[in-house]
Coordinates of all heavy atoms in Angstrom, one line a residue:
M3 N -11.0 -1.0 -23.5 CA -10.2 -2.1 -23.2 C -10.4 -3.2 -24.2 O -11.5 -3.7 -24.4 CB -10.5 -2.6 -21.7 CG -9.5 -3.7 -21.3 SD -9.9 -4.3 -19.6 CE -10.1 -2.9 -18.6
T4 N -9.3 -3.6 -24.9 CA -9.4 -4.6 -25.9 C -9.2 -6.0 -25.2 O -8.4 -6.2 -24.3 CB -8.3 -4.5 -26.9 OG1 -8.4 -3.2 -27.5 CG2 -8.3 -5.5 -28.0
T5 N -10.0 -6.9 -25.6 CA -9.9 -8.3 -25.1 C -9.5 -9.2 -26.2 O -9.8 -9.0 -27.4 CB -11.2 -8.8 -24.4 OG1 -12.2 -8.8 -25.4 CG2 -11.6 -7.9 -23.2
T6 N -8.8 -10.3 -25.8 CA -8.3 -11.3 -26.8 C -8.7 -12.6 -26.2 O -8.8 -12.8 -25.0 CB -6.8 -11.1 -26.9 OG1 -6.5 -9.8 -27.3 CG2 -6.2 -12.1 -27.8
T7 N -8.8 -13.6 -27.1 CA -8.9 -15.0 -26.6 C -7.6 -15.6 -26.6 O -6.7 -15.2 -27.4 CB -9.9 -15.8 -27.4 OG1 -9.5 -15.7 -28.8 CG2 -11.3 -15.2 -27.3
C8 N -7.4 -16.6 -25.8 CA -6.1 -17.3 -25.8 C -6.4 -18.8 -25.5 O -7.5 -19.1 -24.9 CB -5.1 -16.7 -24.8 SG -5.5 -17.0 -23.1
E9 N -5.5 -19.6 -25.8 CA -5.7 -21.1 -25.6 C -5.8 -21.4 -24.1 O -6.4 -22.4 -23.7 CB -4.5 -21.9 -26.2 CG -3.2 -21.6 -25.6 CD -2.0 -22.2 -26.3 OE1 -1.8 -21.9 -27.4 OE2 -1.4 -23.1 -25.6
H10 N -5.2 -20.6 -23.2 CA -5.2 -20.8 -21.8 C -6.6 -20.7 -21.2 O -6.9 -21.4 -20.2 CB -4.2 -19.9 -21.1 CG -2.9 -20.0 -21.7 ND1 -2.4 -19.1 -22.6 CD2 -1.9 -21.0 -21.6 CE1 -1.2 -19.4 -23.0 NE2 -0.9 -20.6 -22.5
I11 N -7.5 -19.8 -21.7 CA -8.8 -19.7 -21.2 C -9.6 -21.0 -21.5 O -10.3 -21.5 -20.6 CB -9.6 -18.5 -22.0 CG1 -8.9 -17.2 -21.5 CG2 -11.0 -18.5 -21.7 CD1 -9.2 -16.9 -20.1
A12 N -9.4 -21.6 -22.6 CA -10.1 -22.9 -22.9 C -9.7 -24.0 -22.0 O -10.4 -25.0 -21.8 CB -9.9 -23.2 -24.4
E13 N -8.5 -23.9 -21.5 CA -8.0 -25.0 -20.6 C -8.5 -24.9 -19.1 O -8.3 -25.8 -18.4 CB -6.4 -24.9 -20.6 CG -5.8 -25.2 -22.0 CD -4.3 -24.9 -22.0 OE1 -3.8 -24.5 -21.0 OE2 -3.8 -25.1 -23.1
L14 N -9.1 -23.8 -18.8 CA -9.6 -23.6 -17.4 C -10.9 -24.4 -17.2 O -11.7 -24.5 -18.0 CB -9.9 -22.1 -17.2 CG -8.7 -21.2 -17.2 CD1 -9.1 -19.7 -17.1 CD2 -7.7 -21.5 -16.1
G15 N -11.0 -24.9 -16.0 CA -12.2 -25.5 -15.5 C -13.1 -24.5 -14.9 O -12.9 -23.3 -15.1
P16 N -14.0 -24.9 -14.0 CA -14.9 -24.0 -13.3 C -14.0 -23.1 -12.4 O -12.9 -23.5 -11.9 CB -15.7 -24.9 -12.4 CG -15.6 -26.2 -12.9 CD -14.3 -26.3 -13.7
E17 N -14.4 -21.9 -12.2 CA -13.6 -21.0 -11.3 C -13.5 -21.5 -9.9 O -14.5 -21.9 -9.3 CB -14.3 -19.6 -11.3 CG -13.5 -18.6 -10.5 CD -14.0 -17.2 -10.6 OE1 -14.1 -16.7 -11.7 OE2 -14.2 -16.6 -9.5
P18 N -12.2 -21.6 -9.5 CA -12.0 -22.2 -8.1 C -12.4 -21.2 -7.0 O -12.4 -20.0 -7.2 CB -10.5 -22.4 -8.1 CG -10.0 -21.4 -9.1 CD -11.0 -21.2 -10.1
A19 N -12.8 -21.7 -5.9 CA -13.1 -20.8 -4.7 C -11.8 -20.2 -4.2 O -10.7 -20.8 -4.2 CB -13.7 -21.7 -3.6
P20 N -11.9 -18.9 -3.9 CA -10.7 -18.2 -3.3 C -10.2 -18.9 -2.0 O -11.0 -19.1 -1.1 CB -11.2 -16.8 -3.0 CG -12.6 -16.7 -3.6 CD -13.1 -18.1 -3.9
R21 N -8.9 -19.2 -2.0 CA -8.4 -19.8 -0.8 C -8.4 -18.9 0.4 O -8.5 -19.3 1.6 CB -7.0 -20.4 -1.1 CG -7.0 -21.4 -2.2 CD -5.8 -22.2 -2.4 NE -4.5 -21.5 -2.3 CZ -3.4 -21.9 -2.9 NH1 -3.5 -22.9 -3.8 NH2 -2.3 -21.3 -2.7
T22 N -8.1 -17.6 0.2 CA -8.1 -16.6 1.3 C -8.9 -15.4 0.8 O -8.4 -14.4 0.4 CB -6.7 -16.2 1.7 OG1 -6.0 -15.7 0.5 CG2 -5.9 -17.3 2.3
P23 N -10.2 -15.5 0.9 CA -11.1 -14.3 0.4 C -10.8 -13.0 1.2 O -11.2 -12.0 0.7 CB -12.5 -14.8 0.6 CG -12.4 -16.0 1.5 CD -11.0 -16.5 1.4
E24 N -10.2 -13.1 2.3 CA -9.9 -11.9 3.1 C -8.7 -11.1 2.6 O -8.5 -10.0 3.1 CB -9.8 -12.2 4.6 CG -8.6 -13.1 5.0 CD -8.8 -14.6 4.8 OE1 -9.8 -15.1 4.2 OE2 -7.9 -15.3 5.3
G25 N -7.9 -11.7 1.7 CA -6.8 -10.9 1.2 C -5.7 -11.8 0.6 O -5.9 -13.0 0.4
C26 N -4.6 -11.2 0.3 CA -3.4 -11.9 -0.3 C -2.9 -12.9 0.6 O -2.5 -12.6 1.7 CB -2.3 -10.9 -0.7 SG -0.8 -11.7 -1.3
E27 N -2.9 -14.2 0.1 CA -2.5 -15.3 1.0 C -1.1 -15.1 1.5 O -0.9 -15.3 2.7 CB -2.6 -16.6 0.1 CG -2.3 -17.8 0.8 CD -2.5 -19.1 -0.1 OE1 -3.4 -19.1 -0.9 OE2 -1.7 -20.0 0.1
D28 N -0.2 -14.7 0.7 CA 1.2 -14.6 1.1 C 1.4 -13.3 2.0 O 2.2 -13.4 3.0 CB 2.2 -14.5 0.0 CG 2.1 -15.8 -0.8 OD1 2.2 -16.9 -0.2 OD2 2.0 -15.7 -2.1
C29 N 0.8 -12.2 1.7 CA 0.8 -11.0 2.5 C 0.2 -11.3 3.9 O 0.8 -10.8 4.9 CB 0.1 -9.8 1.9 SG 1.0 -9.1 0.5
L30 N -0.9 -12.0 4.0 CA -1.5 -12.3 5.2 C -0.5 -13.1 6.1 O -0.4 -12.9 7.3 CB -2.8 -13.0 5.0 CG -4.0 -12.2 4.5 CD1 -5.1 -13.1 4.1 CD2 -4.5 -11.2 5.5
A31 N 0.1 -14.1 5.5 CA 1.1 -15.0 6.2 C 2.3 -14.2 6.7 O 2.8 -14.5 7.8 CB 1.5 -16.1 5.3
A32 N 2.7 -13.2 5.9 CA 4.0 -12.5 6.3 C 3.7 -11.2 7.0 O 4.7 -10.5 7.3 CB 4.8 -12.3 5.0
G33 N 2.5 -10.8 7.1 CA 2.2 -9.5 7.7 C 2.4 -8.3 6.7 O 2.6 -7.2 7.2
G34 N 2.3 -8.6 5.4 CA 2.6 -7.6 4.4 C 1.3 -6.8 4.1 O 0.2 -7.0 4.7
R35 N 1.4 -6.0 3.1 CA 0.2 -5.2 2.6 C 0.1 -5.3 1.1 O 1.1 -5.7 0.4 CB 0.3 -3.8 3.1 CG 1.5 -3.0 2.4 CD 1.5 -1.5 2.9 NE 2.6 -0.8 2.2 CZ 2.5 -0.3 1.0 NH1 1.4 -0.5 0.3 NH2 3.5 0.3 0.4
W36 N -1.1 -5.0 0.6 CA -1.3 -5.1 -0.8 C -2.1 -3.9 -1.3 O -2.7 -3.2 -0.5 CB -2.0 -6.4 -1.2 CG -3.4 -6.5 -0.5 CD1 -4.6 -6.0 -0.9 CD2 -3.6 -7.2 0.7 NE1 -5.6 -6.3 0.0 CE2 -5.0 -7.1 1.0 CE3 -2.8 -7.9 1.6 CZ2 -5.6 -7.7 2.1 CZ3 -3.4 -8.5 2.7 CH2 -4.8 -8.3 3.0
V37 N -2.1 -3.6 -2.6 CA -2.8 -2.6 -3.2 C -4.1 -3.1 -3.8 O -5.2 -2.6 -3.5 CB -2.0 -1.8 -4.3 CG1 -2.8 -0.7 -5.0 CG2 -0.7 -1.2 -3.7
H38 N -4.0 -4.1 -4.7 CA -5.1 -4.7 -5.4 C -4.9 -6.2 -5.3 O -3.8 -6.7 -5.2 CB -5.3 -4.3 -6.8 CG -5.5 -2.8 -7.0 ND1 -6.7 -2.2 -6.6 CD2 -4.7 -1.9 -7.5 CE1 -6.6 -0.9 -6.8 NE2 -5.4 -0.7 -7.4
L39 N -6.0 -7.0 -5.4 CA -6.0 -8.4 -5.3 C -6.3 -9.1 -6.6 O -7.1 -8.6 -7.4 CB -6.9 -8.9 -4.2 CG -6.6 -8.5 -2.8 CD1 -7.7 -8.9 -1.9 CD2 -5.3 -9.0 -2.4
R40 N -5.7 -10.2 -6.9 CA -6.0 -11.1 -8.1 C -6.3 -12.5 -7.6 O -5.8 -12.9 -6.6 CB -4.7 -11.1 -9.0 CG -4.2 -9.7 -9.3 CD -5.2 -8.9 -10.1 NE -4.6 -7.5 -10.4 CZ -5.3 -6.4 -10.1 NH1 -6.4 -6.4 -9.5 NH2 -4.7 -5.3 -10.5
L41 N -7.1 -13.2 -8.4 CA -7.4 -14.6 -8.1 C -6.9 -15.5 -9.2 O -7.2 -15.2 -10.4 CB -9.0 -14.7 -8.1 CG -9.5 -16.1 -7.9 CD1 -9.2 -16.7 -6.5 CD2 -11.0 -16.2 -8.1
C42 N -6.1 -16.5 -8.9 CA -5.6 -17.4 -9.8 C -6.7 -18.3 -10.3 O -7.4 -18.9 -9.4 CB -4.5 -18.3 -9.2 SG -3.9 -19.6 -10.3
L43 N -7.0 -18.4 -11.6 CA -8.1 -19.2 -12.1 C -7.8 -20.6 -12.2 O -8.6 -21.4 -12.6 CB -8.7 -18.6 -13.4 CG -9.3 -17.2 -13.2 CD1 -9.8 -16.6 -14.5 CD2 -10.4 -17.2 -12.2
S44 N -6.6 -21.0 -11.9 CA -6.2 -22.4 -11.9 C -6.4 -23.1 -10.5 O -6.9 -24.2 -10.4 CB -4.7 -22.6 -12.3 OG -4.6 -22.3 -13.7
C45 N -6.0 -22.3 -9.5 CA -6.0 -23.0 -8.1 C -6.7 -22.2 -7.0 O -6.9 -22.7 -5.9 CB -4.5 -23.2 -7.7 SG -3.6 -21.7 -7.3
G46 N -7.1 -21.0 -7.3 CA -7.9 -20.2 -6.3 C -7.0 -19.4 -5.4 O -7.5 -18.8 -4.4
K47 N -5.7 -19.3 -5.6 CA -4.8 -18.5 -4.8 C -5.2 -17.0 -5.0 O -5.3 -16.5 -6.1 CB -3.4 -18.7 -5.1 CG -2.4 -17.9 -4.2 CD -1.0 -18.1 -4.6 CE -0.1 -17.3 -3.6 NZ 0.6 -18.2 -2.7
V48 N -5.3 -16.3 -3.9 CA -5.5 -14.9 -3.9 C -4.2 -14.2 -3.6 O -3.5 -14.6 -2.7 CB -6.5 -14.4 -2.8 CG1 -6.7 -12.9 -2.8 CG2 -7.9 -15.1 -3.0
A49 N -3.8 -13.4 -4.6 CA -2.4 -12.8 -4.5 C -2.5 -11.3 -4.9 O -3.5 -10.8 -5.5 CB -1.5 -13.5 -5.5
C50 N -1.5 -10.6 -4.5 CA -1.5 -9.1 -4.7 C -0.9 -8.8 -6.1 O -0.1 -9.5 -6.7 CB -0.7 -8.4 -3.6 SG 1.0 -8.9 -3.4
C51 N -1.3 -7.6 -6.6 CA -1.0 -7.2 -8.0 C 0.5 -6.6 -8.0 O 1.2 -6.5 -7.0 CB -1.9 -6.1 -8.4 SG -1.7 -4.5 -7.5
D52 N 0.9 -6.2 -9.2 CA 2.3 -5.7 -9.4 C 2.4 -4.3 -8.9 O 3.6 -3.8 -8.8 CB 2.6 -5.8 -10.9 CG 3.0 -7.2 -11.3 OD1 3.1 -8.1 -10.5 OD2 3.3 -7.3 -12.5
S53 N 1.4 -3.6 -8.5 CA 1.5 -2.3 -7.8 C 1.7 -2.5 -6.3 O 2.0 -1.5 -5.6 CB 0.2 -1.5 -8.0 OG 0.1 -1.2 -9.4
S54 N 1.6 -3.7 -5.8 CA 1.8 -4.0 -4.4 C 3.3 -4.3 -4.2 O 4.0 -4.7 -5.1 CB 1.0 -5.3 -4.0 OG -0.4 -5.1 -4.2
P55 N 3.8 -4.1 -3.0 CA 5.2 -4.2 -2.8 C 5.8 -5.6 -3.1 O 6.8 -5.7 -3.7 CB 5.4 -3.9 -1.3 CG 4.2 -3.1 -0.9 CD 3.1 -3.5 -1.8
A56 N 5.0 -6.7 -2.8 CA 5.5 -8.0 -3.0 C 5.2 -8.7 -4.3 O 5.8 -9.7 -4.7 CB 5.1 -8.9 -1.9
K57 N 4.2 -8.2 -5.1 CA 3.9 -8.7 -6.4 C 3.6 -10.2 -6.4 O 4.1 -10.9 -7.3 CB 5.0 -8.3 -7.4 CG 5.2 -6.8 -7.5 CD 6.3 -6.5 -8.5 CE 6.5 -5.0 -8.5 NZ 7.6 -4.6 -9.4
H58 N 2.8 -10.6 -5.5 CA 2.7 -12.1 -5.3 C 2.0 -12.8 -6.5 O 2.2 -13.9 -6.7 CB 2.0 -12.4 -4.0 CG 2.8 -12.2 -2.8 ND1 2.5 -11.4 -1.8 CD2 4.0 -12.8 -2.5 CE1 3.5 -11.4 -0.9 NE2 4.4 -12.3 -1.3
A59 N 1.1 -12.1 -7.2 CA 0.4 -12.7 -8.3 C 1.4 -13.1 -9.4 O 1.4 -14.2 -10.0 CB -0.7 -11.8 -8.9
S60 N 2.3 -12.2 -9.7 CA 3.3 -12.4 -10.7 C 4.3 -13.5 -10.2 O 4.7 -14.4 -11.0 CB 4.1 -11.2 -11.1 OG 3.3 -10.3 -11.8
K61 N 4.6 -13.5 -9.0 CA 5.5 -14.5 -8.4 C 4.8 -15.9 -8.5 O 5.5 -16.9 -8.7 CB 5.9 -14.2 -7.0 CG 6.9 -13.1 -6.9 CD 7.2 -12.7 -5.5 CE 8.2 -11.5 -5.5 NZ 8.5 -11.1 -4.1
H62 N 3.5 -15.9 -8.2 CA 2.8 -17.2 -8.3 C 2.9 -17.8 -9.7 O 3.1 -19.0 -9.9 CB 1.3 -17.0 -7.9 CG 0.5 -18.2 -7.9 ND1 0.7 -19.3 -7.1 CD2 -0.6 -18.5 -8.7 CE1 -0.2 -20.2 -7.4 NE2 -1.0 -19.8 -8.4
F63 N 2.7 -16.9 -10.7 CA 2.8 -17.4 -12.1 C 4.2 -17.9 -12.4 O 4.4 -19.0 -13.0 CB 2.5 -16.2 -13.1 CG 2.9 -16.6 -14.5 CD1 2.3 -17.6 -15.2 CD2 3.9 -15.9 -15.1 CE1 2.6 -17.9 -16.5 CE2 4.3 -16.2 -16.4 CZ 3.7 -17.2 -17.1
A64 N 5.2 -17.2 -11.9 CA 6.6 -17.6 -12.2 C 6.9 -18.9 -11.5 O 7.6 -19.8 -12.1 CB 7.6 -16.5 -11.7
D65 N 6.4 -19.1 -10.3 CA 6.6 -20.4 -9.6 C 5.8 -21.5 -10.0 O 6.3 -22.7 -10.1 CB 6.3 -20.1 -8.1 CG 7.3 -19.2 -7.4 OD1 8.4 -18.9 -8.0 OD2 7.0 -18.7 -6.3
E66 N 4.5 -21.3 -10.3 CA 3.6 -22.4 -10.6 C 3.2 -22.5 -12.1 O 2.7 -23.5 -12.5 CB 2.3 -22.2 -9.8 CG 2.5 -22.1 -8.3 CD 3.1 -23.4 -7.7 OE1 2.8 -24.5 -8.3 OE2 3.8 -23.4 -6.7
G67 N 3.4 -21.4 -12.8 CA 3.0 -21.5 -14.3 C 1.5 -21.4 -14.5 O 1.1 -21.7 -15.7
H68 N 0.7 -21.0 -13.5 CA -0.7 -20.9 -13.8 C -0.9 -19.6 -14.6 O -0.6 -18.5 -14.1 CB -1.5 -20.8 -12.4 CG -1.4 -22.1 -11.6 ND1 -1.7 -22.1 -10.3 CD2 -1.0 -23.3 -12.0 CE1 -1.5 -23.4 -9.9 NE2 -1.1 -24.1 -10.9
P69 N -1.5 -19.7 -15.8 CA -1.4 -18.6 -16.7 C -2.4 -17.5 -16.5 O -2.2 -16.3 -16.9 CB -1.6 -19.2 -18.1 CG -2.4 -20.5 -17.8 CD -2.0 -20.9 -16.4
V70 N -3.6 -17.7 -16.0 CA -4.7 -16.7 -16.0 C -5.2 -16.4 -14.6 O -5.4 -17.2 -13.8 CB -5.9 -17.2 -16.9 CG1 -7.0 -16.1 -17.0 CG2 -5.5 -17.7 -18.3
I71 N -5.2 -15.0 -14.4 CA -5.8 -14.5 -13.2 C -7.0 -13.6 -13.5 O -7.2 -13.3 -14.7 CB -4.8 -13.7 -12.4 CG1 -4.2 -12.5 -13.3 CG2 -3.6 -14.5 -11.9 CD1 -3.4 -11.5 -12.5
R72 N -7.8 -13.3 -12.5 CA -8.8 -12.3 -12.7 C -8.7 -11.3 -11.6 O -8.1 -11.6 -10.5 CB -10.2 -12.9 -12.8 CG -10.8 -13.3 -11.6 CD -12.4 -13.4 -11.7 NE -13.0 -14.0 -10.6 CZ -13.4 -13.2 -9.5 NH1 -13.1 -12.0 -9.4 NH2 -14.0 -13.8 -8.5
S73 N -9.2 -10.1 -11.8 CA -9.3 -9.2 -10.7 C -10.1 -9.7 -9.6 O -11.1 -10.4 -9.8 CB -9.9 -7.8 -11.2 OG -10.0 -7.0 -10.1
F74 N -9.7 -9.5 -8.4 CA -10.4 -9.9 -7.2 C -10.9 -8.7 -6.4 O -11.1 -8.7 -5.2 CB -9.6 -10.9 -6.3 CG -10.4 -11.7 -5.3 CD1 -11.4 -12.5 -5.7 CD2 -10.1 -11.6 -4.0 CE1 -12.1 -13.3 -4.8 CE2 -10.9 -12.3 -3.0 CZ -11.9 -13.2 -3.5
E75 N -11.1 -7.6 -7.2 CA -11.6 -6.4 -6.7 C -13.1 -6.3 -6.9 O -13.6 -6.7 -8.0 CB -10.9 -5.2 -7.3 CG -9.4 -5.1 -7.0 CD -9.2 -4.9 -5.5 OE1 -9.8 -4.0 -4.9 OE2 -8.3 -5.6 -5.0
P76 N -13.8 -5.8 -6.0 CA -15.3 -5.7 -6.1 C -15.7 -4.9 -7.4 O -15.1 -3.8 -7.7 CB -15.8 -4.9 -4.9 CG -14.7 -5.1 -3.9 CD -13.4 -5.2 -4.7
G77 N -16.6 -5.4 -8.2 CA -17.1 -4.8 -9.4 C -16.2 -5.0 -10.6 O -16.5 -4.5 -11.7
E78 N -15.1 -5.6 -10.5 CA -14.2 -5.9 -11.6 C -14.2 -7.3 -12.1 O -14.2 -8.2 -11.2 CB -12.7 -5.5 -11.3 CG -12.6 -4.0 -11.0 CD -11.1 -3.6 -10.8 OE1 -10.2 -4.5 -10.8 OE2 -10.9 -2.4 -10.6
T79 N -14.3 -7.6 -13.4 CA -14.4 -8.9 -13.9 C -13.3 -9.3 -14.9 O -13.3 -10.4 -15.5 CB -15.7 -9.2 -14.5 OG1 -15.9 -8.2 -15.6 CG2 -16.9 -9.0 -13.5
W80 N -12.4 -8.4 -15.2 CA -11.4 -8.6 -16.2 C -10.4 -9.7 -15.8 O -10.2 -10.0 -14.6 CB -10.6 -7.3 -16.5 CG -9.8 -6.7 -15.4 CD1 -10.3 -5.7 -14.6 CD2 -8.5 -7.1 -14.9 NE1 -9.3 -5.4 -13.6 CE2 -8.3 -6.2 -13.8 CE3 -7.6 -8.0 -15.3 CZ2 -7.1 -6.3 -13.1 CZ3 -6.4 -8.1 -14.6 CH2 -6.1 -7.2 -13.5
R81 N -9.9 -10.4 -16.8 CA -8.9 -11.5 -16.7 C -7.6 -11.2 -17.4 O -7.7 -10.5 -18.5 CB -9.5 -12.8 -17.2 CG -10.8 -13.2 -16.4 CD -11.4 -14.4 -17.0 NE -11.8 -14.2 -18.4 CZ -12.5 -15.1 -19.1 NH1 -12.8 -16.3 -18.6 NH2 -12.8 -14.8 -20.4
W82 N -6.5 -11.7 -16.9 CA -5.2 -11.4 -17.5 C -4.5 -12.8 -17.8 O -4.5 -13.6 -16.9 CB -4.4 -10.6 -16.6 CG -3.0 -10.3 -17.1 CD1 -1.8 -10.9 -16.7 CD2 -2.6 -9.3 -18.1 NE1 -0.8 -10.4 -17.4 CE2 -1.2 -9.4 -18.3 CE3 -3.3 -8.4 -18.9 CZ2 -0.5 -8.7 -19.2 CZ3 -2.6 -7.6 -19.8 CH2 -1.2 -7.7 -19.9
C83 N -3.9 -12.9 -18.9 CA -3.1 -14.1 -19.2 C -1.6 -13.7 -19.2 O -1.2 -12.8 -20.0 CB -3.4 -14.7 -20.6 SG -2.4 -16.1 -21.0
F84 N -0.9 -14.2 -18.3 CA 0.5 -13.9 -18.1 C 1.3 -14.4 -19.4 O 2.2 -13.7 -19.8 CB 1.1 -14.6 -16.9 CG 0.8 -13.9 -15.6 CD1 -0.1 -14.4 -14.7 CD2 1.4 -12.7 -15.3 CE1 -0.5 -13.8 -13.5 CE2 1.1 -12.0 -14.1 CZ 0.1 -12.6 -13.2
V85 N 1.0 -15.6 -19.9 CA 1.7 -16.1 -21.0 C 1.5 -15.3 -22.3 O 2.5 -14.9 -22.9 CB 1.2 -17.6 -21.3 CG1 1.9 -18.1 -22.5 CG2 1.5 -18.5 -20.1
D86 N 0.3 -14.9 -22.6 CA 0.0 -14.1 -23.7 C 0.2 -12.6 -23.5 O 0.0 -11.8 -24.4 CB -1.4 -14.4 -24.3 CG -1.5 -15.8 -24.8 OD1 -0.5 -16.3 -25.4 OD2 -2.5 -16.5 -24.6
D87 N 0.4 -12.2 -22.2 CA 0.6 -10.8 -21.8 C -0.6 -9.9 -22.3 O -0.3 -8.9 -23.0 CB 1.9 -10.3 -22.4 CG 2.4 -9.0 -21.7 OD1 2.1 -8.8 -20.6 OD2 3.1 -8.2 -22.4
T88 N -1.8 -10.4 -22.0 CA -3.0 -9.6 -22.6 C -4.2 -9.8 -21.7 O -4.3 -10.8 -21.0 CB -3.3 -10.1 -24.0 OG1 -4.2 -9.2 -24.6 CG2 -3.8 -11.5 -24.1
I89 N -5.1 -8.9 -21.8 CA -6.5 -9.1 -21.2 C -7.2 -10.1 -22.0 O -7.2 -10.1 -23.2 CB -7.2 -7.7 -21.2 CG1 -6.5 -6.6 -20.4 CG2 -8.7 -7.9 -20.8 CD1 -6.8 -6.6 -19.0
V90 N -7.9 -11.0 -21.3 CA -8.6 -12.1 -22.0 C -10.1 -12.1 -21.5 O -10.4 -11.8 -20.5 CB -8.0 -13.5 -21.9 CG1 -6.7 -13.5 -22.7 CG2 -7.8 -13.9 -20.5

């Protein structure tokens, strides 16, 4: 897996606490389901991945413009920048 640096990583502060550590915030509210979870590194929103039916992490980026997420799956530490469309 290739990693890249981007200007958005430098703009991040300390990692925020997950707002709903038990699962996707929007799926939990709507009674939906998810495949994998992502954590927004700007605000701490936990959202589902693009393999999930609702794709809440991508929707969160489209709505809020928060550029970087990280995997919220146990044992995974990778981060993704929506703006640069790359692993960072």
